[in-house]
Amino acid sequence: MLKLPDWQSLSLKEQIAQMIVVRASGYHFDHQIRYPAWEANHTQLKQWLAELNLGGVILLGGSSVELQARSQQLQSWANIPLLIAADIEEGVGQRFPGATWFPPPMALGAIYEQNPSLAEQYATEMGRITAQEALAVGLNWLLSPVVDVNNNPDNPVINIRAFGDRPEVVSALSSAFITGTKSQSILTTAKHFPGHGDTTTDSHLDLPTLTHSEARLATVELPPFQQAIASGVDSVMTAHLMIPAWDRQYPATLSQTIVTEKLRKQFRFNGLVVTDALIMGGITKYAPPEEVAVNAIEAGTDILLMPDNPEVAIASIYQAVESGRITPTRIQQSLTRIWQAKQKVIQSRKPLPLTSELSSQQAQQTVDSILKDSLQIGGKIPLIPEAKTNARNLIVVDDVLNATYLDLHTPAIAIPQKLNYRRQIVDSSTLDCILSNLSPTLLQIFIRGNPFRGNAGLTVNARQIYQQLLQKGQVEALIIYGSPYVLHYFCDWIPEDLPWVHSYGQMPQSQAIALRTLFNLNLDVLTSESWSNFGF
């Protein structure tokens, strides 16, 4: 069994470096790096891990199989075992293809409203499967669950990443997810403290302000965090938010009042406190990176996630300690907690057989069950397609260059094609062109709140275009994959008998189930195991 060295044997700079987690590509080769502004190349990353002695990495990119080799490579470069994290709120397959991709957490919230015990059962199973698959590919830190209460339909960034819009729902399901992970030696994270659900500004772009009173925070935003702590969550991620009721000067990320006085002392949280990514506009617009790093440590944070330059962050904190601004004790407190976390996960650092650990039949059946039980339908269903040659399968996505859930073989394209629909795929930048085609239309919209998007779904221009399309009477049916808030908008003015389907998921499994429901397709099985073979 691997052993951690005594952190007290490390130099001050090495101790500080253990408090830094940098972004890295999950791909093996430099030419595959997708975000060079945030992801260091092979040489730079190896130097940071081996010489600076950084504490961990957060990964994005690559398949689940590639990731296992990549995580082993990164661990081999480090002198001290790394924390290897990823934002996998919807299963490992959400970020790393090949593993299980679950529907967004809000799908479980929809099920909870009808059957709380079933929803909690699903959440527990989701936690168990996610933890098992994460360890199989070399991850040891889940940056999930999201425990924000998304009670603002215009929230552009949390949206369906949350379990729901009521604190009792979020508390129950996030707690069940955490419970499910406990079968494995892995770290979990409750985010984004003290609650990012009731904002209309994306903190990736700017710094939101939550204007609620302390009494309101205690009623809505805070209960899910308190429940997560009671359930044994390992870490809490702070949000880049201004909370004037608690601190009028500093955002939560940098606030000693919020991190130490509230989270540590009032809520008695003794685990890791980690910042949200420090390259986000909500914090970079507030202060320069040197001051952000120092302020975060002063506030009581243990881990700085994705500072723009780890060398600058380490030097800034080191100088603050040398000058007496930060005490050595403050660093030592964090190192103690980091070592406790690493000791928990170090026993899981061993290669696992991916064929038996990823995308098991049971996992895929669980995904199918969640998708089916959260599916919503309306209007005159089923739609009976008439024999015609000019019907259009109109698919609208956020960005055609980043629609990983679509390909020629995926159900949203393949099934309508077999029913004589001709595909047209557009995104937000080309949406205007859809009005020039007067063909009968199956309208499939893939839309959800996402980081850096800046809005929760439909822009004013998009609403006007969709309304014109519907007024022409050429839309035969509507499928929305993702946000229920977009569905609510459409339901206000679509014809009462127009067939519609809403699925929280966007993955191929979701597409197959939605289209089978819409057309009442007479297939024995059209789920995760067979959608790719439809009609071929």
Side-chain angles (χ1 to χ4, degrees):
M1 180 175 175
L2 292 171
K3 291 185 179 181
L4 289 168
D6 184 349
W7 63 259
Q8 296 182 66
S9 66
L10 304 178
S11 69
L12 177 58
K13 284 190 175 180
E14 288 176 323
Q15 291 178 16
I16 295 169
Q18 283 292 305
M19 302 170 71
I20 307 291
V21 170
V22 294
R23 169 78 168 263
S25 172
Y27 292 107
H28 187 79
F29 299 105
D30 283 349
H31 68 265
Q32 294 177 292
I33 290 175
R34 296 180 60 198
Y35 304 97
W38 299 339
E39 298 168 354
N41 61 36
H42 190 97
T43 302
Q44 180 70 84
L45 184 58
K46 186 174 183 179
Q47 184 259 325
W48 281 348
L49 296 180
E51 298 179 20
L52 294 186
N53 214 27
L54 297 184
V57 296
I58 173 174
L59 295 174
L60 180 65
S63 71
S64 53
V65 175
E66 287 177 289
L67 194 65
Q68 187 187 62
R70 178 62 160 165
S71 61
Q72 291 173 359
Q73 178 190 58
L74 296 176
Q75 291 285 13
S76 73
W77 290 346
N79 299 313
I80 297 173
L82 298 168
L83 294 176
I84 301 186
D87 277 310
I88 42 179
E89 302 158 1
E90 300 166 25
V92 177
Q94 175 196 10
R95 302 292 187 188
F96 309 103
T100 304
W101 185 3
F102 284 95
M106 195 170 283
L108 297 179
I111 297 171
Y112 186 95
E113 298 296 348
Q114 304 300 319
N115 190 334
S117 62
L118 179 62
E120 290 183 38
Q121 177 184 329
Y122 284 150
T124 301
E125 189 67 0
M126 180 177 173
R128 184 191 67 80
I129 293 168
T130 300
Q132 176 180 301
E133 294 192 356
L135 288 177
V137 299
L139 301 172
N140 54 33
W141 189 3
L142 305 178
L143 298 182
S144 60
V146 173
V147 301
D148 302 309
V149 179
N150 195 83
N151 56 1
N152 189 330
D154 294 324
N155 192 314
V157 63
I158 301 302
N159 206 266
I160 60 176
R161 297 166 61 197
F163 282 105
D165 58 6
R166 296 191 294 123
E168 55 268 35
V169 175
V170 177
S171 295
L173 296 178
S174 57
S175 178
F177 178 92
I178 293 167
T179 298
T181 67
K182 290 186 179 298
S183 61
Q184 308 292 329
S185 297
I186 199 165
L187 304 180
T188 52
T189 309
K191 61 186 188 184
H192 307 80
F193 185 82
H196 204 321
D198 194 8
T199 64
T200 55
T201 300
D202 179 1
S203 55
H204 292 80
L205 303 174
D206 213 333
L207 183 62
T209 297
L210 201 61
T211 59
H212 299 310
S213 67
E214 188 160 3
R216 152 60 195 255
L217 293 172
T219 303
V220 177
E221 278 75 20
L222 296 175
F225 287 97
Q226 293 170 304
Q227 182 60 52
I229 292 170
S231 299
V233 75
D234 300 284
S235 63
V236 170
M237 178 181 287
T238 54
H240 304 321
L241 289 173
M242 292 299 300
I243 317 287
W246 281 352
D247 192 328
R248 293 185 175 275
Q249 181 178 0
Y250 294 105
T253 309
L254 311 180
S255 171
Q256 186 172 10
T257 299
I258 294 175
V259 175
T260 297
E261 298 302 320
K262 295 294 184 180
L263 181 55
R264 289 279 186 218
K265 296 182 179 178
Q266 183 175 335
F267 301 140
R268 298 181 181 179
F269 179 63
N270 297 315
L272 289 177
V273 174
V274 56
T275 69
D276 207 343
L278 296 181
I279 49 83
M280 292 166 58
I283 204 70
T284 60
K285 292 181 179 180
Y286 178 83
E290 299 87 348
E291 192 64 16
V292 166
V294 172
N295 283 346
I297 302 304
E298 286 180 314
T301 297
D302 301 307
I303 299 282
L304 304 184
L305 182 65
M306 289 178 62
D308 181 59
N309 186 323
E311 297 184 56
V312 170
I314 292 168
S316 301
I317 298 166
Y318 178 81
Q319 182 58 41
V321 176
E322 290 291 291
S323 68
R325 180 175 172 181
I326 294 176
T327 66
T329 301
R330 171 73 274 282
I331 304 298
Q332 293 161 8
Q333 291 169 341
S334 288
L335 265 291
T336 299
R337 287 188 282 264
I338 291 169
W339 248 239
Q340 290 172 344
K342 288 195 171 189
Q343 192 61 58
K344 174 179 178 177
V345 302
I346 198 173
Q347 59 186 305
S348 64
R349 186 182 159 188
K350 58 182 182 295
L352 295 172
L354 290 183
T355 53
S356 62
E357 297 290 336
L358 298 183
S359 287
S360 68
Q361 183 177 6
Q362 180 184 358
Q364 295 307 313
Q365 288 173 346
T366 301
V367 171
D368 286 339
S369 295
I370 295 172
L371 287 168
K372 292 173 184 175
D373 289 343
S374 61
L375 197 73
Q376 298 172 283
I377 62 174
K380 192 174 181 180
I381 285 195
L383 173 66
I384 308 300
E386 301 175 2
K388 50 199 164 202
T389 59
N390 66 333
R392 172 174 61 163
N393 174 24
L394 176 58
I395 298 174
V396 185
V397 300
D398 280 340
D399 184 350
V400 294
L401 296 179
N402 195 31
T404 57
Y405 42 80
L406 288 179
D407 208 332
L408 291 176
H409 67 283
T410 51
I413 294 175
I415 291 177
Q417 182 174 312
K418 298 298 290 186
L419 299 174
N420 296 318
Y421 287 85
R422 297 181 179 180
R423 72 175 180 275
Q424 179 183 10
I425 304 177
V426 301
D427 62 15
S428 55
S429 64
T430 57
L431 191 60
D432 290 353
C433 73
I434 69 175
L435 296 176
S436 61
N437 187 324
L438 302 180
S439 301
T441 298
L442 165 63
L443 178 58
Q444 299 189 76
I445 302 175
F446 291 81
I447 189 166
R448 54 175 289 175
N450 273 318
F452 296 103
R453 203 163 175 269
N455 62 74
L458 298 177
T459 63
V460 173
N461 181 57
R463 295 182 186 201
Q464 292 174 346
I465 291 172
Y466 286 130
Q467 194 163 5
Q468 291 180 58
L469 186 68
L470 284 159
Q471 287 173 345
K472 291 181 177 182
Q474 65 189 100
V475 176
E476 294 184 330
L478 169 68
I479 303 178
I480 296 173
Y481 302 98
S483 173
Y485 306 115
V486 173
L487 170 67
H488 297 163
Y489 172 75
F490 272 95
C491 284
D492 286 340
W493 45 270
I494 59 177
E496 186 174 340
D497 61 347
L498 182 77
W500 61 261
V501 178
H502 170 253
S503 177
Y504 285 90
Q506 296 184 332
M507 68 284 282
Q509 287 162 261
S510 175
Q511 300 166 29
I513 291 170
L515 285 159
R516 181 184 64 178
T517 301
L518 176 65
F519 290 111
N520 192 29
L521 295 175
N522 186 23
L523 299 175
D524 292 334
V525 180
L526 186 55
T527 56
S528 57
E529 296 181 357
S530 62
W531 56 261
S532 62
N533 296 319
F534 176 80
F536 295 94

